[in-house]
Amino acid sequence: MNVTATLFGQMLTFFVLVWFVWKFLWDPMTQMMEDRKKRIADGLAAAERGKHEQELAEKRAAEVIHEAKEKAAGIIAQAQKRGSEIVEEAKETARTEGERIKASAESDIEQEVNRAKESLRGKVVSLSVAGASKVLAREIDEKSQEDLLKDLVAQI
Amino acid sequence: MSSATAPATDSPVTYIQHHLTNLGTGEGFWTWHLDTLFFGGLLATLIMLVSWKIGRSLDAEKPTGMQNLLEAILEFVDSQVKSIFHGRDRLVGPLGLTIFVWVFLMNAMDLIPVDLLPKLAEMVGIPYLKAVPTTDLGTTFALALSVFGLIIIYNIRSKGVIGYIKMFLFHPFGKWLIPVNIVMTTIEEVAKPVSLGLRLFGNMFAGELIFLLIALLPWWVQWPLGGGWAIFHILVITLQAFIFMLLTIVYLSMASQADH
């Protein structure tokens, strides 16, 4: 029940124990925990950053898609415009070509008609002359009837 | 805590005295309590072995078992140190941790049945054995005086020798009551280790004594009483270890404040 020299023995044990715990448990463990804390904080920060970057990327992707859509719409509109232009042009060309063809055909026809008229007229003249000469026999002088015939021919 | 032997009840005084006698060699002050030294050293060795084993292979990724436990205790002690002790000091943390764990384990020896170890010792021819080192004033004052020494060192470190002497001269009543101041401050300072040492000793000694008294009762009341007291004692041993650690931190914190 008294304080005895045991005190010094226990003190020695205590000092050794404190030193040992300090060197072999406290220091490495606090170091490790500090490192771990830092790593966790870094990891969380990285995750946060990643999330932020992902958000940015999503926004950018949406922008790109939007832009592309707009561009595509523009291209389609242009193409439609161009298409209708081409159609218009084609129509125009076709019409002029048609008209040209029609005109040439008409002029051909006219030429044909004229030629036919000409030949018919000639034939009618000769026929009428031949008919008249046959009907009137000799009495008709070709020379004196010539004015009459010419009138006739002009009227045809 | 239990398993009293038949002859124990025959002479209760002898039984209790026998259980409260240390195995010692030497005379007077120079008595060495071998049982206290042995169990104190044994538990210290256990702590050192575990510390070494855990401290050598720390796994930051997947801590398991003992490492988790030690991390929890260390964080607990560290949070106490951080909240009480202002300024950075590398010793206080490990000191508090060591006191907490060592005192706790020494106190925990109290939960081993009071008759078990002495009986086993008797079988191999050791006449006396007191298994709880903290029921020996030698242990509690070894700790308390170590802390006292640190208090003095911390005081001198923070205030200087002159400042430390001034603290005795001018505290708490100013320069007109120097003799009173010296007495007051000396009592205040000396009371720190004395209260530290006696508080732990008193609690553990009383706990041990109650286990001994329970052991003297008939066997059929020993179970509920011994069990109940043991369960309550788990609280006591933890609390006493915690108080010793906390007061150590508080005293060292006070000692390291520059202006007292």
Side-chain angles (χ1 to χ4, degrees):
Chain A
M1 268 280 249
N2 299 317
V3 180
T4 64
T6 313
L7 177 86
F8 301 123
Q10 290 290 75
M11 259 188 192
L12 184 69
T13 311
F14 181 56
F15 291 153
V16 173
L17 186 58
V18 169
W19 173 80
F20 195 94
V21 167
W22 189 356
K23 279 284 158 281
F24 291 94
L25 183 68
W26 183 275
D27 275 358
M29 196 171 253
T30 44
Q31 184 65 43
M32 181 272 289
M33 284 162 93
E34 203 61 42
D35 290 351
R36 184 170 57 195
K37 207 186 270 176
K38 198 172 162 296
R39 269 181 52 197
I40 290 171
D42 286 355
L44 287 177
E48 193 62 36
R49 214 163 42 237
K51 216 171 122 191
H52 187 65
E53 262 163 29
Q54 196 204 354
E55 266 168 21
L56 279 182
E58 268 171 11
K59 216 189 236 174
R60 247 183 61 76
E63 268 171 21
V64 167
I65 288 170
H66 186 69
E67 215 171 282
K69 269 185 186 162
E70 266 181 3
K71 231 180 232 175
I75 287 170
I76 288 168
Q78 213 176 341
Q80 274 171 347
K81 202 174 141 207
R82 182 86 190 101
S84 59
E85 267 174 23
I86 288 171
V87 169
E88 282 304 313
E89 256 175 44
K91 271 186 190 160
E92 193 60 35
T93 321
R95 206 170 57 232
T96 48
E97 184 68 15
E99 269 167 9
R100 197 181 61 76
I101 289 169
K102 207 173 112 192
S104 84
E106 271 173 354
S107 72
D108 275 6
I109 289 166
E110 209 172 329
Q111 267 177 18
E112 282 298 316
V113 168
N114 284 345
R115 206 178 307 148
K117 274 181 182 168
E118 210 54 48
S119 75
L120 270 176
R121 196 181 287 148
K123 269 182 184 158
V124 167
V125 168
S126 58
L127 270 176
S128 350
V129 169
S133 60
K134 263 181 190 163
V135 172
L136 298 174
R138 299 181 200 356
E139 286 159 55
I140 297 168
D141 182 12
E142 269 182 41
K143 234 176 178 150
S144 61
Q145 298 298 329
E146 205 176 294
D147 292 342
L148 191 73
L149 280 171
K150 264 186 190 163
D151 273 2
L152 204 69
V153 168
Q155 273 169 15
I156 293 167
Chain B
M1 64 181 184
S2 59
S3 74
T5 48
T9 44
D10 295 344
S11 50
V13 176
T14 328
Y15 171 77
I16 288 179
Q17 271 175 354
H18 176 265
H19 270 274
L20 294 181
T21 308
N22 282 100
L23 177 72
T25 60
E27 284 300 316
F29 175 74
W30 292 103
T31 310
W32 298 87
H33 290 161
L34 298 178
D35 43 7
T36 302
L37 289 171
F38 172 74
F39 282 112
L42 184 75
L43 294 171
T45 311
L46 182 73
I47 295 170
M48 286 195 261
L49 275 176
V50 172
S51 305
W52 185 67
K53 200 171 163 294
I54 298 297
R56 200 182 42 149
S57 55
L58 286 170
D59 188 354
E61 298 289 315
K62 294 188 275 301
T64 47
M66 186 56 84
Q67 191 190 329
N68 272 329
L69 179 66
L70 287 179
E71 273 185 30
I73 298 172
L74 188 145
E75 284 232 282
F76 170 67
V77 175
D78 202 31
S79 68
Q80 298 294 333
V81 172
K82 282 199 173 108
S83 65
I84 297 168
F85 195 92
H86 300 294
R88 204 68 202 129
D89 188 272
R90 293 184 59 240
L91 173 64
V92 180
L95 183 76
L97 178 67
T98 309
I99 287 175
F100 183 64
V101 177
W102 197 35
V103 170
F104 175 79
L105 286 180
M106 288 194 292
N107 290 352
M109 294 295 289
D110 221 357
L111 296 176
I112 297 171
V114 279
D115 276 323
L116 181 63
L117 293 174
K119 277 281 167 224
L120 289 175
E122 224 174 288
M123 281 176 194
V124 293
I126 298 167
Y128 298 106
L129 190 79
K130 224 171 124 190
V132 189
T134 41
T135 55
D136 185 340
L137 279 172
T139 304
T140 59
F141 272 97
L143 290 164
L145 291 178
S146 305
V147 172
F148 186 55
L150 284 173
I151 292 174
I152 295 173
I153 293 170
Y154 273 54
N155 265 316
I156 292 175
R157 201 181 61 180
S158 62
K159 303 176 181 73
V161 180
I162 312 282
Y164 189 45
I165 293 168
K166 272 187 186 163
M167 187 184 99
F168 279 87
L169 295 180
F170 304 126
H171 176 83
F173 293 125
K175 58 183 171 179
W176 303 110
L177 285 166
I178 284 175
V180 181
N181 285 344
I182 291 173
V183 174
M184 294 285 284
T185 312
T186 307
I187 289 171
E188 190 188 324
E189 289 300 302
V190 170
K192 287 173 183 173
V194 171
S195 69
L196 268 184
L198 285 182
R199 180 185 301 107
L200 181 57
F201 169 77
N203 274 282
M204 298 324 295
F205 189 83
E208 177 85 341
L209 206 60
I210 289 181
F211 277 130
L212 287 172
L213 292 175
I214 290 170
L216 288 169
L217 296 170
W219 64 271
W220 46 270
V221 273
Q222 282 184 25
W223 293 94
L225 283 179
W229 181 243
I231 291 166
F232 178 67
H233 213 57
I234 294 172
L235 178 70
V236 174
I237 62 176
T238 317
L239 197 66
Q240 288 306 316
F242 172 69
I243 288 173
F244 205 111
M245 175 203 82
L246 198 70
L247 285 177
T248 302
I249 300 168
V250 170
Y251 290 156
L252 290 180
S253 167
M254 281 160 69
S256 53
Q257 275 159 14
D259 48 345
H260 199 74

